[in-house]
Amino acid sequence: MAPTTGLQDVSTRAGGAKSGRPLHVAIIMDGNGRWAKRRNLPRVLGHRAGVNALKRTVEGAAALGVGVMTVFGFSTENWSRPPQEVSELMGLLKAYLESDIDRLAREGVKVRIIGRRTGLAADVLAVIERAESRTSHNDAFLLQVAFNYGGRADIADAARAFAEAVERGEARAADLDEALFERHLSTAGAPAPDVIVRTSGEQRISNFLLWECAYAELVYQDVLWPDYGPEHLAAALTEYRSRDRRYGGIAVDDVAVAG
Ligand code: FPP
């Protein structure tokens, strides 16, 4: 993770590497179960292989010009999976943070876990809090792990937090606008994703970064997550860079014609 892209200004949510802000890639890491099934292995081994893919991808990301990465590790809907699989995913987050935090901290990575803290066991919470406080002053790269996260839940939680501030007399409903609202989201302060990648060939957003994805480019890749690595991320970025992002405006080439 040698190159640093700088996170000095992550206050604006408009996103977009062309504007000089760090490029933000969000990834729905899908296909662990199918990867395992194809090998006649238990699903949990697919998730373990998925952690290795995550390590490879994070390690190669900065060299590809990425400054922020958000990965979907556990959704609010994943609680409905068999208890053994839920427990494995909890254990994997803990193990990942415990094994990699020294290296990530050394490399200037700021680690942030987004999503609901309620429902997580005390030992998982302790590891999350340690990882976050250990890396809170870093600004070379931001790694956000969405865990016990759901886009709708995050929006509902933000609405509740704002309503409570109004009830306490600390905010006024009339002042609410998009910029104020998003300060209550668990992604507050990070730029919006420029591109959302989903692996395994599935083409859905699955309740991931619903507010934040407003202008993200969607890239679907037909590779199962445990097989993923920097070469696939590079291909996703090539696809992203070929897109013409207009943010509701018109193409640059068409401005003269329109005028
Ligand atoms: C989707 O695959 C993946 C998940 C539900 C979890 C993603 C988790 C990891 C990559 C490993 C854990 C990493 C951390 C940091 C917690 P799936 O099981 O839905 O695959 P399938 O659609 O093929 O069944």
Side-chain angles (χ1 to χ4, degrees):
M1 147 114 34
T4 58
T5 43
L7 289 172
Q8 289 77 9
D9 178 17
V10 291
S11 54
T12 171
R13 310 272 297 181
K18 285 172 193 156
S19 61
R21 285 183 289 281
L23 180 67
H24 181 175
V25 179
I27 307 182
I28 301 174
M29 307 181 287
D30 197 12
N32 295 348
R34 276 161 285 170
W35 184 92
K37 194 170 177 191
R38 281 182 197 174
R39 289 163 177 75
N40 278 322
L41 296 170
R43 290 176 59 81
V44 294
L45 291 191
H47 294 315
R48 285 185 206 168
V51 175
N52 291 331
L54 175 62
K55 292 182 184 191
R56 286 195 297 274
T57 307
V58 169
E59 190 60 24
L64 295 169
V66 176
V68 182
M69 182 174 283
T70 304
V71 293
F72 209 171
F74 188 87
S75 75
T76 45
E77 290 71 37
N78 287 155
W79 290 105
S80 64
R81 294 193 176 203
Q84 193 205 350
E85 187 170 341
V86 169
S87 149
E88 175 75 15
L89 288 165
M90 297 287 153
L92 285 178
L93 175 71
K94 241 182 93 180
Y96 171 61
L97 293 178
E98 281 172 336
S99 67
D100 280 37
I101 201 63
D102 284 345
R103 187 176 47 77
L104 292 168
R106 246 191 341 266
E107 291 174 345
V109 178
K110 178 178 184 146
V111 176
R112 188 186 200 197
I113 312 300
I114 59 168
R116 281 187 177 155
R117 297 290 157 101
T118 48
L120 298 181
D123 58 333
V124 176
L125 283 174
V127 174
I128 288 175
E129 279 157 21
R130 237 186 350 261
E132 288 188 331
S133 68
R134 179 88 203 282
T135 60
S136 64
H137 300 298
N138 285 345
D139 65 2
F141 189 95
L142 174 63
L143 173 62
Q144 299 189 120
V145 181
F147 202 83
N148 196 18
Y149 175 88
R152 287 182 174 178
D154 208 46
I155 292 169
D157 289 350
R160 188 180 317 104
F162 180 75
E164 286 167 358
V166 172
E167 278 177 359
R168 289 192 303 270
E170 294 165 9
R172 292 185 330 145
D175 292 336
L176 186 66
D177 59 11
E178 292 175 20
L180 178 56
F181 182 75
E182 63 190 17
R183 273 192 234 153
H184 298 278
L185 294 170
S186 64
T187 53
D194 298 294
V195 53
I196 296 184
V197 172
R198 183 173 190 144
T199 61
S200 88
E202 305 283 333
Q203 303 194 351
R204 287 185 297 283
I205 203 78
S206 295
N207 204 13
F208 190 40
L209 301 175
L210 291 186
W211 172 282
E212 298 83 349
C213 76
Y215 288 104
E217 295 292 330
L218 306 179
V219 173
Y220 299 109
Q221 292 182 288
D222 200 3
V223 52
L224 300 176
W225 177 254
D227 292 326
Y228 207 83
E231 66 279 26
H232 301 99
L233 181 59
L237 293 177
T238 300
E239 165 74 28
Y240 160 73
R241 289 182 175 120
S242 74
R243 306 266 179 95
D244 176 23
R245 301 184 79 193
R246 295 195 293 277
Y247 299 100
I250 59 175
V252 175
D253 290 350
D254 292 337
V255 172
V257 181

